[in-house]
Amino acid sequence: MSLKAAEISAFRASDTPYKKADAKGLYLEIFPNGSKLWRWKYRFAGKEKRLALGAWPDVTLAKARQLCEAARATLADGADPGLERKRAKATARISAANTFASVAAEYIDGKMVGEGRAETTLAKARWFLDLLRPAVGDLPISDVDPQMLLAPLKRLEARGNKETAKKVRSFASRVFRYGVATGRCKADPAALLQGALVAPKARHYAAILEPGKLGELLRAVDAYNGNPITRLALQITPHVFVRPGELRHAEWSEFDLDAAVWRIPAGKMKARRAHSVPLSPQVVALLGELRAMTGGGGYLFPALYSPRRPMSENTINVALRRMGFGKDEATAHGFRATASTLLNESGKWQPDAIERALAHGDSDAVRGTYSRGQYWEERVRMAAWWSDYLDRLREGGAVIPFGRAESNKK
């Protein structure tokens, strides 16, 4: 006799479990603790088996019968309903581990960390993931299509964050390529969106390109009355013209002051290639002064409140503002443009040597950490000349217009 919904609540617990049959092998089992579980009894390959269908009252009588009929249909198709359920659960577990967010986290914490990427680069990657997470984070990576990915990118674009949208798309593309390589998806839908976003305008960092104005800035740096470590960072920056992040994350272990060279490992460089910087006598002297302050271990420019962290990325720009140079006049990154422009205008140095000094298309990783390859000797002479030239500007000496006839191609 089939069960009735109204009588199920009247079944009371006893000292031992007991069963109340419904129909077609479906029954309710009542346990001493009062719980009531639906089960279905069936036979497969000559063996009697049980399939749990859920607990009453979450699973009502009507729902239990529906589940029973679905299991009976699976059995009629020649499959074991219990085994099929185990397979479905295993597939769900695998899918959960293969969501876009989980694969992206694996890419960041495994591949990027393993490659020695800078902490700022890792932080940006995690931020990019957070921007994508609401739209596609919980979806299996193999199910994400271009339209799903385009939606959050367009929202960033609509808020005026065109550069961020471009970088997030690029990050997603790297995650998908990693997913393809590790067998979690078959294609990179982000690659199809390259033409779907508005191209951001090229970003130009404010830089002083007039020698007389540069001399004024250098004198202001010498008179800077803020943190002495910040002053030294400001004094060294124009001489080495590396990227601000590369200077902030510089560590004493990378410097050989006797050989007058700074060897930056690949993990700290934008192009992921090791880069070497020749140090002029002026820079070596400034580094000696700095080492007396910081002790010669860890970061050259530690954060004010934690020596285990580098100086804030805003420190140099804030100091420039304190000295009266607006953001449309001078920036930490702009010192690279200053050096590039004035070195090229001098006519003394091969353009390729200047590009190598700026780590544009740098081949140091191939030629070794000493960078004793093409243009190195010229770069050593150029570093010394550039520091001498900055000294003349700082001292307020006469500024002689550069000519292009003279060329140093020794």
Side-chain angles (χ1 to χ4, degrees), residues 102-112 141 171-185 187-188:
S102 63
V103 175
E106 180 183 319
Y107 169 75
I108 296 168
D109 297 329
K111 189 172 188 298
M112 293 183 69
I141 191 171
F171 166 75
S173 185
R174 295 195 298 274
V175 172
F176 282 113
R177 292 199 300 272
Y178 177 76
V180 171
T182 55
R184 264 78 72 84
C185 60
D188 171 16

Side-chain angles (χ1 to χ4, degrees), residues 6 22 73 131 189 240 244 250 265 283 324 353 399:
D22 182 55
L131 292 174
V240 294
V283 174
V399 179

Side-chain angles (χ1 to χ4, degrees), residues 199-406:
K201 291 182 180 180
R203 183 180 179 183
H204 298 289
Y205 296 96
I208 292 175
L209 305 179
E210 198 276 315
K213 186 71 172 179
L214 178 57
E216 179 186 335
L217 172 58
L218 295 173
R219 288 190 292 275
V221 167
D222 284 350
Y224 181 71
N225 60 3
N227 187 305
I229 293 178
T230 301
R231 172 180 56 80
L232 282 163
L234 284 162
Q235 290 175 311
I236 292 170
T237 295
H239 292 268
V240 294
F241 45 87
V242 294
R243 295 177 181 87
E246 294 157 6
L247 186 70
R248 290 193 309 108
H249 288 88
E251 298 178 65
W252 284 108
S253 59
E254 300 162 6
F255 287 78
D256 185 341
L257 298 187
D258 292 331
V261 63
W262 171 18
R263 304 183 191 98
I264 309 176
K268 292 185 178 181
M269 295 298 299
K270 181 178 180 180
R272 322 315 298 174
R273 297 193 190 112
H275 179 60
S276 294
V277 180
L279 305 175
S280 67
Q282 290 91 327
V283 174
V284 171
L286 289 169
L287 290 172
E289 183 181 345
L290 179 63
R291 184 160 58 180
M293 294 181 185
T294 65
Y299 290 112
L300 269 70
F301 306 103
L304 183 60
Y305 299 109
S306 174
R308 292 190 296 273
R309 297 179 63 84
M311 172 187 290
S312 165
E313 62 182 331
N314 296 318
T315 300
I316 297 296
N317 285 330
V318 169
L320 289 169
R321 305 300 162 258
R322 284 185 59 186
M323 292 186 293
F325 294 88
K327 63 181 180 181
D328 57 344
E329 290 183 281
T331 60
H333 206 288
F335 284 109
R336 288 167 57 78
T338 298
S340 176
T341 300
L342 296 182
L343 284 168
N344 276 291
E345 287 184 355
S346 76
K348 293 176 175 294
W349 314 103
Q350 296 186 71
D352 284 346
I354 298 171
E355 290 298 291
R356 291 285 170 82
L358 293 163
H360 291 164
D362 190 80
S363 62
D364 289 353
V366 175
R367 299 184 183 277
T369 56
Y370 271 90
S371 191
R372 299 300 188 188
Q374 193 177 15
Y375 305 116
W376 176 255
E377 295 302 330
E378 183 173 354
R379 286 179 55 201
V380 171
R381 295 194 303 274
M382 183 169 66
W385 180 89
W386 177 246
S387 287
D388 290 344
Y389 176 68
L390 292 179
D391 283 350
R392 292 196 299 273
L393 294 182
R394 188 182 68 253
E395 293 163 3
V399 179
I400 302 173
F402 289 133
R404 295 184 178 277
E406 184 179 3

Side-chain angles (χ1 to χ4, degrees), residues 187-198:
D188 171 16
L192 302 175
L193 300 178
Q194 283 185 309
L197 299 175
V198 176

